[in-house]
């Protein structure tokens, strides 16, 4: 028997204090609720709890364009009126509003995922958790779908310094388009996304036919689903595909995005998953005993998000939690029954057996083209921690980013997708 996993958990209360606006479905307060529930169940006693560092602009620019990072740094609700053109350019506004402390919010959730990856790289833990992370829609040069900085891409880039191959798994109800796009041309990252597809559901990508390109061909997997999928069909499909992927791809590390909008009753989602079904996927991935970085993601019925991520923290700790929620600051949100588990939903399951079987066969067929796990010539490993030797407030952030980007040209040329050089890589109608 393997001794228990060592777990690092990242949290900073400030991530829960920002406000997207009164009618916006994203409520960062769900992160406070999750953390308090984790504490109420005493789970903090079984893992190492860290406050993440605030990621430096230079770290964010490892994936994002310098001008975009600089703009996020500069913009505030007070200066909005002067920046109409740039807001449009960077897709900021309705879905991705500019609010007080936006940049610090990005620095914290991205810092958590980067720290998580570094602790895994240095073998300080077996599993690292950052529920504030998982903002999978953000693009290199723009915000998208409530996401500004793509912490997942930054975490994976960090893991690639130590691991030849990284597997990314996404169980958010939405397609993990930002992460897929970033690594669409490389075989060093395999992305696997299970999501609702069709009926103009956001973001509109994620057809089973989108499989990657160039070196990355067959290294992007999409599992498009219809409304109402239940625990049984989802977990069966998930286990079959993930088991095969791990067997063939032999990843050195796994990143698991646990968006909770795939749960029944989510304000934006349309699946029937119970928390047990969702957590079963986490349990299954943990069993491979491969270094594992776990993040949050979507989730818009906030009491259920807190329930789900608490149960999954317990799952990762091999700890079964009593169903009666212990008293905590947010107990009123779990009324009237104060129970941890939620039942599956009752939407009609539009995923017929034959539909799911066809999707499964298509995915497994594509996996047959992968003969063996691709190797990589490891290059000089850049340092984990970059401590800037300047006063943050004095230098022009533009210059700062530029300098560090030059310092850290580490990626292979085809390492990740460069939106500036290729605008037609997607094949919606193939
Ligand atoms: Zn989502």
């Amino acid at each position: 028997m393997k001794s228990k996993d060592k777990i690092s958990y990242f949290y900073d209360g400030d991530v829960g204090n920002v406000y997207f606006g009164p009618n916006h479905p994203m409520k960062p307060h769900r992160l406070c609720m999750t953390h308090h529930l984790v504490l109420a169940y005493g789970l903090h006693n079984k893992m190492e709890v860290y406050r993440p560092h605030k990621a430096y602009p230079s770290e964010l620019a490892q994936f994002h364009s310098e001008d975009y990072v600089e703009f996020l740094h500069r913009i505030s609700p007070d200066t909005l009126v002067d920046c109409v053109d740039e807001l449009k350019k960077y897709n900021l506004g309705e879905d991705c509003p500019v609010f007080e402390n936006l940049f610090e919010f990005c620095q914290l959730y991205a810092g958590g995922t980067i720290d998580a990856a570094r602790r895994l790289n240095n073998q300080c833990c077996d599993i690292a958790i950052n529920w504030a992370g998982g903002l999978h829609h953000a693009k290199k040069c723009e915000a998208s779908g409530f996401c500004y900085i793509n912490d997942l891409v930054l975490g994976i880039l960090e893991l690639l310094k130590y691991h030849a191959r990284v597997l990314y798994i996404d169980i958010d109800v939405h397609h993990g388009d930002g992460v897929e796009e970033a690594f669409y041309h490389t075989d060093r990252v395999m992305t696997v996304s299970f999501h609702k597809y069709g009926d103009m559901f956001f973001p509109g990508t994620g057809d089973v036919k989108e499989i990657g390109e160039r070196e990355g061909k067959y290294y992007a997997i999409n599992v498009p689903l219809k409304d109402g999928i239940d625990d049984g069909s989802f977990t069966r499909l998930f286990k079959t595909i993930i088991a095969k992927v791990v067997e063939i791809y032999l990843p050195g590390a796994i990143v698991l995005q646990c968006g909770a909008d795939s749960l029944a009753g989510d304000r934006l989602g349309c699946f029937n998953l119970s928390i047990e079904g969702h957590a079963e996927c986490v349990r299954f991935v943990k069993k491979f005993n491969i270094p594992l970085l776990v993040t949050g993601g979507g989730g818009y019925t906030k009491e259920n998000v807190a329930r789900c991520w608490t149960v999954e923290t317990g799952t990762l700790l091999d700890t079964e939690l009593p169903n009666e929620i212990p008293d905590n600051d947010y107990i009123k949100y779990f009324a009237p029954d104060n129970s941890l588990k939620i039942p599956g939903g009752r939407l009609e399951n539009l995923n017929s057996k034959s539909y799911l079987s066809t999707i499964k066969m298509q995915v497994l067929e594509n996996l047959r083209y992968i003969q063996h796990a691709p190797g990589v010539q490891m290059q000089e490993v850049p340092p984990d921690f970059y401590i800037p030797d300047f006063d943050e407030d004095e230098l022009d952030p533009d210059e700062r980013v530029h300098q560090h980007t030059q310092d850290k040209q580490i990626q292979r040329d085809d390492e990740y997708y460069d939106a500036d050089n290729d605008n037609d890589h997607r094949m919606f109608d193939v």
Side-chain angles (χ1 to χ4, degrees), residues 309-368:
W309 292 344
T310 301
V311 166
E312 290 172 353
T313 305
T315 301
L316 294 166
L317 288 163
D318 296 315
T319 302
E320 196 70 43
L321 304 178
N323 194 40
E324 164 120 22
I325 293 180
D327 194 22
N328 70 90
D329 288 358
Y330 302 108
I331 191 75
K332 66 175 191 291
Y333 288 99
F334 306 103
D337 60 344
N338 292 348
S339 76
L340 185 59
K341 302 280 170 66
I342 60 156
R346 288 155 177 244
L347 293 173
E348 187 188 352
N349 185 354
L350 299 181
N351 301 272
S352 66
K353 275 200 171 117
S354 70
Y355 174 74
L356 292 172
S357 164
T358 306
I359 293 292
K360 182 178 78 182
M361 295 314 289
Q362 281 179 276
V363 168
L364 295 180
E365 175 68 20
N366 287 336
L367 276 169
R368 287 179 51 207

Side-chain angles (χ1 to χ4, degrees), residues 195-430:
H195 48 263
K196 152 83 181 182
Y197 179 76
D199 310 326
M200 308 288 284
F201 196 72
F202 186 85
T205 49
D207 193 330
V208 71
K209 292 168 185 160
E210 293 171 35
I211 56 172
E213 283 182 2
R214 300 190 212 158
E215 294 292 306
K217 190 170 180 185
Y218 303 118
Y219 293 91
I221 294 179
N222 283 297
V223 186
L225 301 167
K226 301 176 194 292
D227 288 9
I229 194 158
D230 55 26
D231 287 351
S233 0
F234 191 91
T235 56
R236 263 195 307 277
L237 192 60
F238 181 88
K239 289 178 183 182
T240 306
I241 291 171
I242 296 302
K244 198 70 191 166
V245 165
V246 172
E247 177 196 325
I248 293 177
Y249 190 62
L250 298 174
I254 300 178
V255 176
L256 176 58
Q257 196 268 21
C258 295
D261 46 9
S262 43
L263 289 177
D266 185 80
R267 181 172 163 191
L268 299 186
C270 52
F271 286 173
N272 279 335
L273 298 186
S274 72
I275 289 175
E276 274 132 320
H278 202 269
E280 181 61 24
C281 299
V282 177
R283 184 176 296 111
F284 187 73
V285 172
K286 171 184 153 61
K287 278 192 186 150
F288 291 106
N289 286 324
I290 293 170
L292 177 60
L293 198 169
V294 179
T295 73
Y300 306 99
T301 300
K302 59 184 185 174
E303 59 277 16
N304 289 348
V305 176
R307 287 178 163 112
C308 180
W309 292 344
T310 301
V311 166
E312 290 172 353
T313 305
T315 301
L316 294 166
L317 288 163
D318 296 315
T319 302
E320 196 70 43
L321 304 178
N323 194 40
E324 164 120 22
I325 293 180
D327 194 22
N328 70 90
D329 288 358
Y330 302 108
I331 191 75
K332 66 175 191 291
Y333 288 99
F334 306 103
D337 60 344
N338 292 348
S339 76
L340 185 59
K341 302 280 170 66
I342 60 156
R346 288 155 177 244
L347 293 173
E348 187 188 352
N349 185 354
L350 299 181
N351 301 272
S352 66
K353 275 200 171 117
S354 70
Y355 174 74
L356 292 172
S357 164
T358 306
I359 293 292
K360 182 178 78 182
M361 295 314 289
Q362 281 179 276
V363 168
L364 295 180
E365 175 68 20
N366 287 336
L367 276 169
R368 287 179 51 207
Y369 289 96
I370 299 176
Q371 298 298 321
H372 54 83
V376 64
Q377 264 192 318
M378 293 306 275
Q379 301 155 7
E380 188 191 346
V381 178
D384 282 348
F385 294 92
Y386 189 87
I387 310 298
D389 52 359
F390 53 77
D391 180 344
E392 237 203 321
D393 299 327
E394 277 184 16
L395 274 181
D396 174 2
D398 232 354
E399 238 172 67
R400 184 158 72 221
V401 169
H402 184 62
Q403 181 60 50
H404 298 328
T405 308
Q406 282 184 344
D407 288 350
K408 296 186 90 181
Q409 290 295 338
I410 54 138
Q411 285 84 20
R412 217 168 62 182
D413 286 348
D414 61 349
E415 197 86 289
Y416 60 84
Y417 167 71
D418 182 350
D420 292 342
N421 295 334
D422 183 352
N423 289 316
D424 60 359
H425 75 291
R426 290 210 165 272
M427 300 187 292
F428 290 104
D429 49 2
V430 174

Side-chain angles (χ1 to χ4, degrees), residues 88 92 108 163 181 190 200 254 361 372 378 383 388:
K88 199 170 168 202
L92 296 166
L108 282 174
H163 298 283
E181 183 174 300
M190 177 171 267
M200 308 288 284
I254 300 178
M361 295 314 289
H372 54 83
M378 293 306 275

Side-chain angles (χ1 to χ4, degrees), residues 155-174:
I156 292 169
L157 288 174
E158 210 56 41
L159 291 168
L160 287 173
K161 293 176 181 174
Y162 283 72
H163 298 283
R165 293 171 304 282
V166 174
L167 170 61
Y168 171 75
I169 305 170
D170 187 319
I171 58 170
D172 191 285
V173 76
H174 300 99

Side-chain angles (χ1 to χ4, degrees), residues 20-89:
F20 278 60
N23 299 316
H24 200 289
M26 177 58 98
K27 307 289 183 196
H29 184 240
R30 69 203 179 120
L31 299 166
C32 288
M33 291 169 63
T34 303
H35 184 66
H36 279 83
L37 208 46
V38 163
L39 296 180
Y41 274 106
L43 296 176
H44 56 296
N45 297 317
K46 301 185 172 190
M47 54 191 182
E48 291 176 347
V49 177
Y50 295 96
R51 183 180 284 243
H53 86 292
K54 283 185 199 167
Y56 295 105
S58 57
E59 293 178 299
L60 306 180
Q62 292 299 307
F63 169 56
H64 294 283
S65 66
E66 294 164 21
D67 59 310
Y68 174 50
V69 172
E70 187 275 326
F71 185 72
L72 283 179
H73 198 171
R74 171 159 52 93
I75 191 72
S76 81
D78 305 331
T79 55
L80 278 181
V81 282
D82 308 322
C83 306
V84 177
D85 292 346
E86 283 164 303
L87 289 169
K88 199 170 168 202
K89 176 180 173 190

